[in-house]
Amino acid sequence: RPAASEPWDKAFIFLGGFLLACLLLACSVEAASSAGFTLLSSAAFLCLCAAYGLFTWALLFNRFAIGVAALQEGQVPADGGPYASVRHPIYLAAIFIFVSTPAALGSAGGFVPAALLAVLVLGRTALEDRLLLRSLPGYREYAGRVPYRLLPGVW
């Protein structure tokens, strides 16, 4: 059974769910009046597929992945698959999903909640990384081997 979620994580989960609902609502309203898919929409759908692929790949290599920021008994850092390149590939996939969705659906209004969701995920990544550095045995060494949280060469 996972440990209780960190208090700040409950706020992230609530706000993230709310912004995702705003994103989908804005996209659906605009998509209903769209004249059809464009090259940008097609490229965005390909990005969505790649992001969902990364998300799934990351889940396959992290048996401790759960929906809250909490440490579990016996937890060790995941370091295989995408975790060999970045420490938080699931969050990277989420950002690509959020930003690609309005483009795929041709929704300019969807970019506002998508951008806010991306910023929210960046904040959650920083806080969760701090928690893991402080509390997960072996994570500091893993972070030394894999210096980037989300994007190799950037952050």
Side-chain angles (χ1 to χ4, degrees):
R1 192 184 99 156
S5 167
E6 289 288 313
W8 50 260
D9 199 40
K10 291 178 182 174
F12 276 89
I13 291 168
F14 173 80
L15 189 56
F18 174 75
L19 289 172
L20 183 57
C22 291
L23 166 65
L24 296 174
L25 178 63
C27 290
S28 65
V29 167
E30 289 190 56
S33 63
S34 176
F37 290 120
T38 64
L39 184 58
L40 176 63
S41 296
S42 298
F45 270 110
L46 288 175
C47 187
L48 276 170
C49 291
Y52 279 113
L54 174 60
F55 185 86
T56 302
W57 185 32
L59 286 177
L60 291 172
F61 281 88
N62 188 350
R63 64 188 178 106
F64 295 100
I66 57 175
V68 297
L71 298 178
Q72 301 169 64
E73 187 176 328
Q75 184 172 345
V76 295
D79 61 0
Y83 291 93
S85 300
V86 294
R87 298 196 307 254
H88 300 280
I90 291 174
Y91 293 153
L92 175 61
I95 290 170
F96 277 112
I97 289 167
F98 298 150
V99 174
S100 298
T101 298
L105 296 173
S107 170
F111 282 107
V112 172
L116 292 172
L117 276 165
V119 169
L120 192 69
V121 169
L122 290 173
R124 184 176 190 197
T125 301
L127 289 170
E128 184 171 318
D129 207 63
R130 187 181 315 155
L131 169 68
L132 295 171
L133 283 166
R134 181 180 69 239
S135 304
L136 181 62
Y139 192 80
R140 190 166 298 284
E141 293 77 17
Y142 164 67
R145 291 189 315 274
V146 180
Y148 300 106
R149 292 179 184 111
L150 288 177
L151 203 56
V154 179
W155 186 64

